[in-house]
Structures are given as C-alpha cells and as structure tokens.
C-alpha cells in the first residue's frame, strides 16, 4: 500500500471517529462570550450557556445524567450552540455581572448579540430539560417578546402573568416584586379580587408590608373562595420561610425581631404555628435556653401537642440544657404525653433520660428496660438502651444525689 494512500485511510478513520464522538456528546464551547456570539452569527443558532461551579453537586449531576442523554445531545447539537462558563474561573466576572448570576447551575439562552431570551435554573431531569429548551426556541415565549407585550398595556394581568411565569424560572421571587407592584398600583381595591390577580400576587409578591399583601391578608376569605384556603395558607407560609429562614441562619437577633414583627401581621393560625417553630430555631441557634424554654412552655400545647416528633425534639433540647427541677418536670410531662400519642423506642428512651436527670433512678431503669423490650420486639439491637441501663445500674450502686433544685 502506497504511503500517501495509507495516510488518507488513517485520516478518514480519524475523521469518522471524531464525528461519531461529537454526536455522542454536547459540544461544550468555553472560548468566551464574544467568540460564542461570532459562532452564533455564522451558524444562525441561539446560544445555550450553562453557568456552573466545580464544587456544585447539582451541576455535576446534570452533566453526568441529563446532558449525557442521547435525545438531549441530539436536540442540543441540532438547535443550539452549547457554551459553558466556570463561575470561579478568572475572567468570568464581567459575564456574572452582566447576567446577574446568583445560583448554580444557571442556564441562559442568548441571541447572537448576547440578549437574554430565556433563563432557568436547577438540576433538571431529561423531560423537563427538553421542555424548557424547546420553549426557549419559541419567539412568543421568550423574555423580550413577553416583556414587550406586557408593556403595551400594564393593566393587562394575563400578559403580566405570562411574563412573570417566564421570569420566575430563573430568578428569585423577590426580583419579581417591582414588576408586580407596578401592576397593582394601577388596580383599584374593587378590582383586586380575581383569579388572575391572585396568580400575579402569589408568583410576584413577597413584600408583606406592601399594599397588595395587606389587602390579601384582610380579604383572605375572598381569595380563598376563588382558589382555596390551602393555597392562601401556602402563600403565607412560603412568604414567612423566605423572610425568616435566612435570618435564623445568621443568628441576627435584631433582624429576627424586626422581621418577625412583620411576619406576625399575617393573621393566620398556620403563621402562628410557623413562627413558634422559627422562635425555637432562633433561640436554639443562639443558645438562649431561657427564652427557648419560655416559648416552648407557652406554645407547645397550642401548636405541636399532637405531633410526637416535634414534642420529642423540644424535650431533648430542654433536657440537655436544663438543671432545674421545674424545667425537667415540665419536659417529663411533655414526653409522657408524646408517648401516649405514639409509643416509640426513642420516645421511651428519652423519658428514661429525663427521669435520670431528675435522679429518679429506679423509674429510669424501668423505662430503659421497657425501651429495650420495645427494640427487641422490633428486631433492633437496642444498643442505646443497653448503654443507658449500664449507666443507671452503676448510679444505683452509689448514694442517691439530691434532685435538681429550682434556681432562685
């Protein structure tokens, strides 16, 4: 075989191999926005940008699953220029600032000039991913068109709703507040209660102190009639979570006190119950056990008296962080009630531990043996009960210590 002919054969095999490989994976262009836009102008395709971080588990998962799927690969290679950006890579700052990237993975659909057409986030499965990338190819479902349609008549709730739904896929709800507020400013009170206005409110409003939120609080029964009380309650709960959860994580007492007062203006039993749980979380995070016990004592029967799991969590914290008899005896009453509602291995064992801390050793031994019997009946090893029982039997050999006394 002649050398030049052999070279041609090798080149052909290499070309075929690369072509097959290209079809087996998404072409991931990381050359930068300017270069990708030039490609888009030549190839006449929109740009699909994945913004990720190497430490992000959701990014890794979607790369390893959805983006490896043959149907996804075929569709993306046929319809998009697929580009990627490592969020932490040097030089990515201008891109992050331009498109306001805040979470991972974020997916952007851009035109050849870098104008944002669509955005969505998260670890999407194959079917949901394909649905979103197909929607993004429809000009009448892209952000510029939806925004233009709404701005033609800012009193048109249906057009606003379509715009908000598209925005919500890739933005935090609080970023939608200004758009929804602008709409409601033009709606009089007698026109507020409607199905479309409820949808705009629940998707676009988080500001509890706003005029429209206060209107819904006062008129929640009217809105429940056009949707359901459950959906109204769900909206209230989601608003409280969005408001207080980040603050509880920071242990900021001043901010928590201020925003809790705002949350309390939502007059609803579900809100009162949620605020009780956040109060406990806040005082636990700050290790303020005096206030924790006070809040628990005042509210446990109102909000968690029928929840053994919630009661056990409270009793465990009180038991671990109390030395005074009144607190321990009170927690003993709670755990006994929990075990009456639902007898469980951990519940019986917790009751035994409270008795131990009160130095009621014989009673604690009896409860521990009961917990051991419960675990045996369930086929469990009961090691915790064995360990506690050994400790109690050792204590029984020594003179009984006086019970904890009330602190003056």
């Amino acid at each position: 075989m002649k050398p030049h002919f052999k070279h041609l054969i090798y080149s052909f095999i290499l070309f075929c191999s690369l072509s097959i490989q290209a079809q087996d994976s998404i072409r991931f262009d990381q050359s930068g926005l300017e270069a990708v836009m030039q490609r888009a102008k030549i190839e006449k395709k929109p740009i699909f940008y994945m913004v990720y971080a190497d430490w992000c588990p959701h990014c890794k998962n979607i790369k390893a699953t959805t983006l490896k799927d043959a149907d996804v690969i075929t569709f993306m290679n046929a319809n998009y220029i697929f580009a990627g950006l490592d969020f932490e890579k040097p030089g990515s700052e201008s891109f992050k600032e331009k498109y306001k990237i805040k979470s991972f993975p974020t997916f952007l659909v851009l035109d050849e000039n870098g104008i944002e057409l669509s955005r969505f986030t998260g670890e999407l499965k194959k079917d949901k991913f394909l649905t979103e990338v197909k929607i993004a190819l429809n000009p009448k479902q892209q952000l510029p068109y939806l925004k233009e349609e709404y701005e033609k008549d800012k009193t048109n709730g249906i057009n606003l709703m379509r715009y908000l739904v598209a925005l919500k896929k890739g933005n935090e709800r609080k970023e939608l507040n200004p758009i929804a507020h602008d709409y409601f400013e033009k709606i009089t009170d007698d026109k507020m209660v409607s199905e479309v206005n409820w949808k705009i409110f629940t998707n676009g409003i988080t500001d509890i102190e706003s005029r429209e939120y206060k209107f819904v609080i006062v008129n929640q029964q009217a809105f429940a009639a056009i949707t359901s009380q459950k959906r109204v309650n769900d909206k209230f709960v989601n608003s409280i979570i969005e408001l207080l959860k980040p603050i509880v994580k920071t242990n900021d007492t001043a901010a928590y006190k201020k925003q809790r007062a705002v949350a309390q203006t939502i007059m609803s039993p579900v809100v009162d119950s949620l605020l009780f749980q956040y109060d406990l979380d806040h005082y636990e995070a700050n290790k303020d056990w005096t206030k924790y016990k006070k809040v628990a004592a005042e509210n446990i029967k109102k909000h968690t008296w029928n929840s053994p799991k919630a009661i056990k969590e409270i009793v465990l914290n009180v038991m671990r962080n109390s030395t005074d008899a009144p607190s321990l005896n009170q927690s003993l009453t709670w755990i006994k009630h929990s075990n009456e509602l639902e007898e469980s291995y951990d519940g019986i064992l917790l009751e035994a531990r409270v008795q131990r801390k009160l130095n009621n050793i014989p009673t604690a031994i009896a409860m521990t043996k009961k917990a051991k019997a419960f675990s045996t009946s369930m086929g469990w090893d009961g090691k915790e009960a064995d360990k506690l029982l050994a400790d109690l039997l050792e204590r029984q050999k020594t003179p009984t210590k006086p019970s904890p006394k009330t602190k003056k």
Side-chain angles (χ1 to χ4, degrees):
M1 186 181 291
K2 294 182 178 180
H4 72 278
F5 186 68
K6 187 184 295 186
H7 177 74
L8 287 173
I9 291 176
Y10 288 153
S11 297
F12 178 74
I13 292 171
L14 179 61
F15 173 77
C16 292
S17 174
L18 291 172
S19 297
I20 292 170
Q21 185 179 4
Q23 293 305 312
D24 287 340
S25 62
I26 291 174
R27 293 185 281 274
F28 201 85
D29 191 331
Q30 292 184 300
S31 59
L33 181 59
E34 291 299 324
V36 172
M37 286 193 298
Q38 289 302 315
R39 272 191 62 194
K41 290 171 183 176
I42 295 170
E43 298 180 30
K44 305 299 181 186
K45 292 180 182 179
I47 303 162
F48 185 90
Y49 245 108
M50 177 179 177
V51 185
Y52 63 91
D54 286 338
W55 49 260
C56 164
H58 299 296
C59 304
K60 291 178 181 177
N61 289 342
I62 198 169
K63 284 182 180 181
T65 56
T66 302
L67 299 183
K68 292 286 187 181
D69 183 88
D71 292 338
V72 172
I73 291 169
T74 299
F75 185 86
M76 295 303 291
N77 283 338
N79 294 280
Y80 286 101
I81 293 172
F82 195 90
L85 178 76
D86 183 342
F87 187 84
E88 296 183 330
K89 184 179 179 180
S92 65
E93 289 76 14
S94 60
F95 187 99
K96 293 183 288 189
E97 185 177 348
K98 178 180 176 67
Y99 295 106
K100 298 180 174 60
I101 306 299
K102 297 179 181 179
S103 62
F104 313 109
T106 289
F107 302 102
L108 296 171
V109 176
L110 311 175
D111 71 6
E112 61 184 19
N113 297 309
I115 295 172
E116 184 176 332
L117 304 178
S118 181
R119 176 190 299 233
F120 57 95
T121 62
E123 183 186 334
L124 277 63
K125 301 301 182 185
K126 170 189 171 179
D127 290 345
K128 179 62 175 174
F129 183 88
L130 284 173
T131 296
E132 292 299 335
V133 293
K134 288 175 182 177
I135 287 174
L137 292 174
N138 184 344
K140 290 190 176 181
Q141 296 194 60
Q142 294 171 349
L143 291 173
Y145 175 85
L146 295 171
K147 180 180 181 181
E148 183 180 0
E149 286 298 296
Y150 165 59
E151 290 183 342
K152 287 178 182 177
D153 177 9
K154 289 191 174 183
T155 63
N156 189 317
I158 294 174
N159 284 345
L160 172 58
M161 189 58 215
R162 289 172 181 159
Y163 183 38
L164 289 177
V165 167
L167 285 171
K168 187 181 172 185
K169 293 176 183 179
N171 296 277
E172 294 178 6
R173 198 192 307 267
K174 64 183 180 181
E175 295 178 75
L176 278 54
N177 272 332
I179 302 168
H181 285 316
D182 186 46
Y183 166 80
F184 280 117
E185 283 179 0
K186 301 171 181 62
I187 306 298
T188 57
D189 285 359
D190 60 315
K191 303 291 184 183
M192 284 285 283
V193 182
S194 72
E195 188 175 352
V196 70
N197 283 348
W198 166 255
K199 290 179 179 179
I200 292 169
F201 169 76
T202 194
N203 281 282
I205 298 294
T206 60
D207 183 2
I208 298 172
E209 296 182 285
S210 66
R211 168 236 174 189
E212 50 269 30
Y213 210 118
K214 290 178 180 178
F215 184 92
V216 171
I217 293 171
V218 174
N219 297 278
Q220 56 184 282
Q221 290 184 342
F223 282 98
I226 61 173
T227 176
S228 71
Q229 188 61 56
K230 180 183 182 303
R231 288 180 178 174
V232 173
N233 289 343
D234 286 347
K235 172 61 180 178
F236 292 159
V237 167
N238 289 335
S239 296
I240 301 303
I241 292 172
E242 290 173 359
L243 181 67
L244 296 182
K245 187 175 181 179
I247 299 174
V248 170
K249 287 183 177 180
T250 64
N251 298 344
D252 189 334
T253 299
Y256 181 76
K257 183 178 180 180
K258 178 181 178 182
Q259 296 305 327
R260 189 196 185 283
V262 172
Q264 203 168 18
T265 62
I266 304 178
M267 297 169 288
S268 170
V270 295
V271 170
D272 293 339
S273 181
L274 187 59
L275 287 177
F276 168 56
Q277 187 56 57
Y278 271 122
D279 285 345
L280 293 178
D281 292 345
H282 175 66
Y283 294 131
E284 180 180 355
N286 283 279
K287 302 189 184 304
D288 190 339
W289 301 114
T290 300
K291 288 184 179 177
Y292 182 98
K293 289 186 282 188
K294 182 176 185 295
V295 167
E298 291 173 351
N299 294 280
I300 192 169
K301 290 185 179 181
K302 295 179 188 175
H303 302 300
T304 59
W305 202 232
N306 294 317
S307 172
K309 181 181 178 182
I311 293 172
K312 284 184 282 190
E313 288 176 357
I314 294 170
V315 171
L316 186 60
N317 273 326
V318 173
M319 185 269 294
R320 284 175 172 171
N321 298 283
S322 299
T323 55
D324 62 295
S327 294
L328 292 169
N329 279 314
Q330 191 171 51
S331 69
L332 183 61
T333 301
W334 298 339
I335 191 59
K336 284 182 176 180
H337 173 71
S338 173
N339 286 330
E340 287 171 2
L341 289 175
E342 180 185 82
E343 195 169 63
S344 64
Y345 173 65
D346 61 331
I348 300 169
L349 209 57
L350 182 55
E351 185 174 340
R353 285 173 173 152
V354 176
Q355 294 283 14
R356 178 181 64 174
K357 199 155 189 180
L358 282 163
N359 288 320
N360 298 329
I361 304 303
T363 306
I365 290 173
M367 291 302 303
T368 306
K369 288 180 177 179
K370 184 178 179 180
K372 177 64 177 179
F374 188 98
S375 70
T376 301
S377 69
M378 299 297 292
W380 304 334
D381 58 35
K383 288 182 180 179
E384 289 183 76
D386 291 336
K387 184 178 179 181
L388 179 60
L389 185 59
D391 174 76
L392 289 166
L393 292 173
E394 185 64 31
R395 290 179 184 226
Q396 196 176 42
K397 296 177 183 178
T398 60
T400 305
K401 298 177 182 178
S403 299
K405 295 181 179 180
T406 306
K407 290 183 178 180
K408 293 183 180 180

